[in-house]
Amino acid sequence: MYEQLSHSILNEILDQLKPEITGKELNHFYTRLGANFYSLFSLFYQLYGQRQDFKHQLLKLVEVMARQYILRSPEFKNTDLAREKDFNWFLSQKWVGMTLYADGFAEDLPDLSQKIDYFQELGINLVHIMPILECPKNASDGGYAVSNYRKIDERVGNLQDIQKIAHEMKKKDILLVLDIVVNHTSNEHEWAKKARQGDSKYQNYYYTFHNREIPNMFEKTLPEVFPQTAPGNFTWDEKMKKWVMTVFNNYQWDLNYQNPAVFIEMLDILLFWANQGVDILRLDAVAFLWKKIGGSSQNEPEAHTLLQLFKDCCQVTAPGVLFIAEAIVAPVEIVKYFGEDAINAKECEIAYNATFMALLWDAVATKNAKLLIQGIKNLPDKLERATWLNYIRCHDDIGLGFTDDDIIQAGYEPRSHRQFLLNYFSGKFENTDARGLLFGQNPKNNDARISGTLTSLIGLENALEEGNQEKIDLTIQHIILLHSMIFSFGGIPLIYYGDEIGTLNDYSYMGNLSKANDSRWAHRPKINWQKAQLRHKENTIENIIFSALQRMIKVRKEISAFGDFNNRELINVSNPHLLVFMRTDPQEKNNIIVIGNFDASYQYINFSEIQNNLFRFKNNHEIMDLYSGESPTMFKHQLVLPPFRFYWLSLV
């Protein structure tokens, strides 16, 4: 009966569509709308079904999808059809990504368009350009306080520049990823300005209150995101004479998705960017989308309903476009952002594997794989048609996002172990070479997160200052080891710009008043392109790291077992310094054994611990490390790994 009701309402909506819509070619649109409408209607009803204007809002939703479909170029519509047919296209091992700031990697967008060949030189075919939408100059939160969703920040370029980049990347089979901040706007956005002027329509786009009664109820259970710099979750706006919810910073007003007009506006924005040639939309702060009194207002069921609805609508208008969930939450919560379908991602196809990242950094500090292995064991299974973004560093800080239970299982006491890690990476631990900085320190619980580039955190900055060549060589090998893990784990590896040439911390942010209190700017550097040219000069740090990653990317793309089809199996071994797992490829009848030595000294593994996995499909073949193209070092029945060495073993 419920499905019949949805079909009846769909017919009503189609009858009400305006001639400027119905007069266009909409064959594929109608097919997809019909296929998705029952789900779409059900989700929209769950959120807004009690409203008197429910049908009117649903009509507006369909109109937005139809108008954006009409605006979608024939080229992009053909891409949609191809990706619908090859629906697992993004699970292939061929994809390797880089995330960057347009004005950090290059001068601006026009300059970036001149550097696309650099991506091809390295082997990158997925480029995530960090936020480039218009933001206030001194209150931008690094691009996440958007004042205009349809305008590029003039400091980096304009809409034509990003269209040109999208066009050039498509010619070279490079995917373009852009950020859309869906949880909040800048307080200088047009909607916020109209709200300040007393327009009740736009005041209802946000959470606004005349007095502190409701905010005080919220505050009893809401955590603080930035306790040092932005304590509390509400800000008094003097012009509006109201309190407004500001979970992140006082200049970032949280959007009220309990108002369907907000959802429809944001959908229109997402589809607008899909129509500019963006292949993947990174949805920022999705865990915070729905607010409730009495809880943390994070990971609420309605937030997942909103994401399912965004996905259903996008499936109708631009089905070739994927979503990334930016939700840095507990492992048990992060997999929910794929959706809770048995197979298909009903929310976001891609999510950040923040837990794996944090576990890798634990292994860096402890020089063993005990917590790394324990944490991997407890990573929840993902859906078949979904994948991880595996990364070492990104624009953000490092949070120690593993569970206390895993820490205990690894043999540590949680509080003291977390404190050890903070001390280790901030240079306060004896004999540490790390040059990290603390971020977001909370005096109430002594919690903090960690800033710094990969190279400075791992010890290269310190080794260079000491002029210790042995340390330099060892830290470079350590950098390569970490990349070998994200390249082989399962998912899309994401290199952070500058890591491929060994870029160190940039401390110049301390002299900038708008950045000085945010240590994350230390790892948001400006690339020195003269220094980057050293990647072509043998035996330089830039050359060694760049060449190693270049080869790693090339080899990865040739190993079908590295495609992400839930084909990873952890192998228990007796040596606690080693991480060992198998990637299977039943179609090719071949297994790849990945081994990483996280210690600064030589380690070995008894071959008997891996031989059954390696010889599952083949016998009497030579063992080869696919990365180096050489046989691994063996002594009788023991396989030897030098400090921070890795193997991708196969039979040839």
Side-chain angles (χ1 to χ4, degrees):
M1 190 66 179
Y2 197 57
E3 191 167 355
Q4 290 175 331
L5 174 62
S6 76
H7 290 163
S8 173
I9 290 175
L10 176 57
N11 287 331
E12 289 180 33
I13 287 172
L14 295 179
D15 287 341
Q16 293 177 63
L17 289 178
K18 295 175 181 177
E20 61 262 31
I21 294 175
T22 57
K24 303 292 184 180
E25 193 285 308
L26 292 165
N27 287 345
H28 291 300
F29 175 82
Y30 286 138
T31 301
R32 294 175 187 138
L33 181 63
N36 286 276
F37 191 77
Y38 174 59
S39 171
L40 191 155
F41 167 80
S42 303
L43 296 167
F44 202 72
Y45 189 85
Q46 285 178 42
L47 295 170
Y48 310 116
Q50 304 310 310
R51 294 176 59 103
Q52 289 186 339
D53 63 347
F54 171 75
K55 286 187 179 180
H56 174 68
Q57 296 291 346
L58 192 57
L59 170 63
K60 288 177 65 178
L61 182 70
V62 173
E63 284 180 342
V64 162
M65 289 189 287
R67 291 183 191 281
Q68 291 291 0
Y69 178 82
I70 291 166
L71 293 171
R72 195 153 175 78
S73 74
E75 178 190 359
F76 299 159
K77 287 178 180 177
N78 287 335
T79 299
D80 291 335
L81 292 170
R83 290 177 180 172
E84 281 182 310
K85 189 174 182 180
D86 181 18
F87 50 84
N88 285 334
W89 63 272
F90 62 97
L91 302 179
S92 167
Q93 76 279 5
K94 71 177 275 190
W95 302 112
V96 180
M98 176 178 282
T99 185
L100 56 86
Y101 283 97
D103 58 352
F105 177 81
E107 292 298 320
D108 49 25
L109 290 174
D111 187 38
L112 192 152
S113 71
Q114 301 300 312
K115 292 180 165 61
I116 293 175
D117 288 347
Y118 180 84
F119 304 132
Q120 289 191 297
E121 179 187 348
L122 183 57
I124 297 296
N125 53 15
L126 180 153
V127 176
H128 171 204
I129 302 176
M130 296 294 293
I132 53 173
L133 302 187
E134 186 177 80
C135 292
K137 184 176 182 180
N138 294 318
S140 70
D141 187 29
Y144 291 100
V146 177
S147 55
N148 190 329
Y149 282 104
R150 287 180 169 83
K151 187 177 179 184
I152 302 293
D153 191 318
E154 63 183 14
R155 287 167 287 186
V156 296
N158 56 41
L159 188 60
Q160 289 70 38
D161 294 327
I162 201 68
Q163 289 170 338
K164 179 182 177 183
I165 287 171
H167 178 71
E168 290 300 314
M169 285 186 175
K170 276 183 170 38
K171 287 199 300 186
K172 298 178 179 181
D173 198 23
I174 299 174
L175 303 178
L176 175 61
V177 185
L178 288 189
D179 287 78
I180 304 295
V181 185
V182 291
N183 178 69
H184 48 261
T185 74
S186 162
N187 61 359
E188 295 186 30
H189 191 281
E190 180 187 10
W191 303 337
K193 289 178 179 178
K194 288 182 177 179
R196 277 204 181 101
Q197 292 164 4
D199 190 327
S200 59
K201 172 185 174 180
Y202 290 99
Q203 287 184 359
N204 199 33
Y205 272 38
Y206 303 96
Y207 294 92
T208 60
F209 306 96
H210 290 287
N211 56 45
R212 284 289 308 189
E213 291 180 3
I214 294 176
N216 286 344
M217 280 297 300
F218 268 109
E219 292 284 19
K220 290 176 69 175
T221 55
L222 285 183
E224 294 175 318
V225 176
F226 300 131
Q228 272 187 310
T229 56
N233 291 277
F234 293 86
T235 299
W236 175 256
D237 186 83
E238 184 61 32
K239 186 171 183 180
M240 190 167 55
K241 301 295 183 186
K242 287 187 176 184
W243 292 93
V244 60
M245 182 175 275
T246 54
V247 167
F248 286 82
N249 289 293
N250 59 13
Y251 51 82
Q252 290 166 301
W253 289 15
D254 284 63
L255 287 165
N256 175 17
Y257 278 96
Q258 296 179 37
N259 178 357
V262 171
F263 177 87
I264 294 167
E265 292 264 27
M266 192 55 67
L267 175 66
D268 197 29
I269 290 163
L270 296 178
L271 296 177
F272 169 83
W273 284 106
N275 283 347
Q276 307 312 309
V278 179
D279 298 284
I280 304 175
L281 292 165
R282 178 185 181 273
L283 308 185
D284 186 68
V286 292
F288 297 83
L289 289 179
W290 197 268
K291 311 300 193 291
K292 281 183 181 177
I293 286 176
S296 68
S297 291
Q298 294 183 36
N299 307 310
E300 297 289 353
E302 292 87 350
H304 292 284
T305 303
L306 285 167
L307 290 172
Q308 290 175 51
L309 191 53
F310 276 134
K311 175 47 60 178
D312 273 353
C313 293
C314 194
Q315 287 290 96
V316 174
T317 301
V321 173
L322 305 182
F323 289 169
I324 296 174
E326 192 277 322
I328 310 303
V329 295
V332 70
E333 293 293 340
I334 184 60
V335 292
K336 295 178 183 177
Y337 288 90
F338 292 129
E340 299 196 59
D341 184 79
I343 296 175
N344 293 315
K346 293 293 188 180
E347 295 182 26
C348 300
E349 293 89 350
I350 308 171
Y352 287 92
N353 200 348
T355 303
F356 184 50
M357 177 274 299
L359 291 167
L360 286 172
W361 282 108
D362 181 87
V364 168
T366 61
K367 303 297 185 290
N368 69 62
K370 291 191 294 184
L371 182 54
L372 175 58
I373 291 167
Q374 181 61 37
I376 291 172
K377 285 180 181 176
N378 289 330
L379 274 178
D381 294 333
K382 68 168 186 64
L383 304 180
E384 288 182 22
R385 193 179 175 272
T387 196
W388 295 111
L389 279 177
N390 295 314
Y391 63 107
I392 306 165
R393 288 300 293 116
C394 68
H395 74 289
D396 223 337
D397 51 87
I398 298 170
L400 306 178
F402 27 75
T403 68
D404 286 352
D405 285 344
D406 282 342
I407 296 174
I408 292 168
Q409 289 294 317
Y412 305 115
E413 193 281 317
R415 182 181 291 271
S416 60
H417 188 67
R418 290 179 187 277
Q419 191 59 52
F420 155 70
L421 293 173
L422 293 175
N423 289 341
Y424 180 91
F425 287 113
S426 60
K428 298 174 184 175
F429 189 78
E430 188 178 359
N431 296 325
T432 180
D433 290 319
R435 291 289 183 86
L437 304 107
L438 295 182
F439 172 77
Q441 292 172 276
N442 190 337
K444 297 176 184 177
N445 58 13
N446 292 321
D447 189 22
R449 302 191 289 277
I450 302 157
S451 295
T453 63
L454 163 60
T455 44
S456 292
L457 286 169
I458 215 162
L460 184 58
E461 181 179 339
N462 187 67
L464 287 168
E465 287 183 5
E466 290 181 4
N468 187 325
Q469 190 60 48
E470 185 180 352
K471 269 190 180 181
I472 291 170
D473 294 342
L474 208 55
T475 54
I476 289 174
Q477 191 57 46
H478 208 169
I479 289 167
I480 295 169
L481 167 69
L482 293 184
H483 281 96
S484 77
M485 294 295 107
I486 66 168
F487 275 63
S488 58
F489 188 74
I492 301 171
L494 193 62
I495 298 171
Y496 187 59
Y497 81 110
D499 286 354
E500 78 284 3
I501 52 172
T503 304
L504 304 176
N505 280 351
D506 178 2
Y507 299 105
S508 65
Y509 78 95
M510 294 179 177
N512 185 325
L513 287 177
S514 67
K515 298 177 180 179
N517 292 323
D518 189 340
S519 63
R520 293 175 299 177
W521 287 104
H523 57 256
R524 299 170 180 175
K526 188 82 171 178
I527 296 300
N528 180 334
W529 281 95
Q530 282 187 318
K531 193 168 179 287
Q533 289 301 318
L534 293 174
R535 71 189 186 276
H536 300 305
K537 185 177 180 180
E538 285 194 15
N539 299 320
T540 61
I541 289 171
E542 293 80 4
N543 171 260
I544 295 168
I545 298 175
F546 190 91
S547 299
L549 297 188
Q550 192 179 46
R551 173 163 180 77
M552 199 179 293
I553 291 169
K554 183 176 184 297
V555 174
R556 169 191 156 84
K557 290 179 179 180
E558 295 170 354
I559 302 174
S560 54
F562 283 173
D564 192 15
F565 298 96
N566 289 341
N567 52 335
R568 182 186 63 254
E569 183 180 323
L570 196 62
I571 299 174
N572 291 316
V573 297
S574 55
N575 189 328
H577 299 284
L578 305 182
L579 172 65
V580 185
F581 57 88
M582 177 174 66
R583 302 302 309 281
T584 60
D585 186 353
Q587 289 185 339
E588 295 293 327
K589 301 294 184 185
N590 197 15
N591 291 338
I592 309 296
I593 303 294
V594 176
I595 307 176
N597 175 15
F598 284 85
D599 194 32
S601 61
Y602 280 81
Q603 298 293 328
Y604 72 89
I605 180 174
N606 291 316
F607 190 69
S608 60
E609 296 183 271
I610 62 170
Q611 65 180 3
N612 289 339
N613 295 292
L614 197 56
F615 290 111
R616 184 176 296 181
F617 295 120
K618 298 178 181 178
N619 288 300
N620 302 319
H621 284 70
E622 183 184 354
I623 302 168
M624 180 72 71
D625 171 31
L626 297 179
Y627 171 75
S628 66
E630 300 173 353
S631 297
T633 303
M634 299 279 293
F635 177 74
K636 295 185 178 179
H637 296 291
Q638 293 172 326
L639 189 150
V640 177
L641 289 97
F644 303 130
R645 181 65 188 270
F646 76 93
Y647 288 136
W648 290 348
L649 299 180
S650 183
L651 299 178
V652 294

